[in-house]
Amino acid sequence: MNTQTKMFKTKELNISKASPEIYSSVKYPLMEAFYTIQGEGTHSGKPAYFIRLAGCDVKCWWCDVKESWDETKHPKITAGEIVGNAKSSNASFVVITGGEPLLHNLEPLTLSLKQAGLMVHLETSGSSPLTGQLDWITLSPKRFKKPLDEIFPYVDELKVVVLKKKDLEWAEENAQKCPSDTNLLLQPEWDTPTSIPLIVEYVKMNPKWRISLQTHKFMNVP
Ligand code: SF4
């Protein structure tokens, strides 16, 4: 597993040489931020500070955070304020999620987080270009808007939501493009538990895959 921070410079804003003050003044539409337990995937069970940026153009019909889609409905908060709250939470790593966080230039926010000594994880559909400085990339590809090819070499964890058999084909299609040491995870959709037997049988027959459950929902924590 590659544990080095991955750096993706934005093509749109040449701010990579900007001062920390300029980074921290950049604003992001923030739906919510909270310190909780990472419930899903490889880091399940670890405390993490979640930063949920608003805005999503993928629009999965089963999305459980549809209120995140319209970024104009959420306040714009400076990277400095977001990082300050993350730093004071006692978390050792943050998870930037959404919405689709790569709709935004993540360079100022992630660099500010790194400067504050925090590890940065990203959860993305991969449908927009990579930006920022990232320690862990979770790709959760959606058929509604496919991932860009550029993300695949950097994926640490591939997490595919499975509702029906066709999603397993989609999972394999994406897994083929990931590095050989990527953690491969199949996750039932919370409101469609009928897919669980399908996933269980598939993992038994294809043990390179593991099952990821939304354990925070069982624990009733955000
Ligand atoms: S990509 Fe994520 S936030 Fe966007 S619609 Fe799909 S599940 Fe919801």
Side-chain angles (χ1 to χ4, degrees):
M1 193 68 53
N2 181 2
T3 54
Q4 283 189 330
T5 301
K6 304 177 245 311
M7 298 186 195
F8 306 98
K9 301 292 184 199
T10 177
K11 294 181 182 122
E12 291 136 33
L13 286 175
N14 184 18
I15 56 168
S16 57
K17 293 192 175 81
S19 68
E21 290 73 29
I22 292 177
Y23 296 143
S24 64
S25 67
V26 174
K27 291 185 174 181
Y28 293 87
L30 182 69
M31 178 179 156
E32 57 183 350
F34 48 93
Y35 188 34
T36 187
I37 302 296
Q38 168 60 287
E40 307 177 3
T42 306
H43 295 282
S44 178
K46 296 180 184 175
Y49 189 83
F50 276 71
I51 298 168
R52 188 182 302 285
L53 299 181
C56 185
D57 59 354
V58 181
K59 301 197 164 64
C60 310
W61 63 263
W62 42 261
C63 177
D64 59 359
V65 281
K66 289 194 171 81
E67 59 275 34
S68 72
W69 291 3
D70 184 354
E71 68 176 76
T72 66
K73 292 188 173 157
H74 300 279
K76 288 205 156 193
I77 310 291
T78 64
E81 189 176 340
I82 296 170
V83 173
N85 290 334
K87 184 70 181 166
S88 62
S89 73
N90 198 42
S92 59
F93 73 97
V94 303
V95 180
I96 302 177
T97 185
E100 174 41 68
L102 286 177
L103 283 179
H104 311 285
N105 172 14
L106 296 181
E107 177 78 1
L109 177 59
T110 57
L111 205 77
S112 300
L113 288 163
K114 297 295 295 175
Q115 285 171 341
L118 292 160
M119 301 284 279
V120 182
H121 294 198
L122 175 71
E123 296 203 1
T124 177
S125 69
S127 57
S128 291
L130 273 168
T131 52
Q133 303 205 1
L134 305 164
D135 298 295
W136 182 267
I137 297 177
T138 300
L139 175 65
S140 186
K142 307 295 187 320
R143 256 201 298 258
F144 311 99
K145 194 164 186 222
K146 292 184 178 181
L148 302 178
D149 280 341
E150 69 173 49
I151 196 170
F152 285 102
Y154 308 105
V155 176
D156 296 294
E157 171 181 83
L158 177 69
K159 187 174 66 183
V160 182
V161 178
V162 176
L163 288 85
K164 52 192 174 186
K165 201 171 173 187
K166 208 172 167 194
D167 296 320
L168 297 170
E169 293 167 21
W170 171 243
E172 291 290 357
E173 194 182 310
N174 283 275
Q176 282 174 11
K177 297 180 184 176
C178 291
S180 58
D181 61 351
T182 300
N183 290 351
L184 302 177
L185 301 169
L186 299 175
Q187 181 167 291
E189 195 272 324
W190 182 255
D191 291 321
T192 319
T194 48
S195 69
I196 291 174
L198 176 70
I199 298 171
V200 168
E201 285 310 307
Y202 193 80
V203 169
K204 281 159 65 179
M205 296 303 293
N206 300 274
K208 69 180 181 182
W209 291 94
R210 285 159 45 194
I211 295 176
S212 170
L213 296 176
Q214 293 180 295
T215 60
H216 55 293
K217 294 195 176 183
F218 288 105
M219 294 187 285
N220 201 25
V221 296

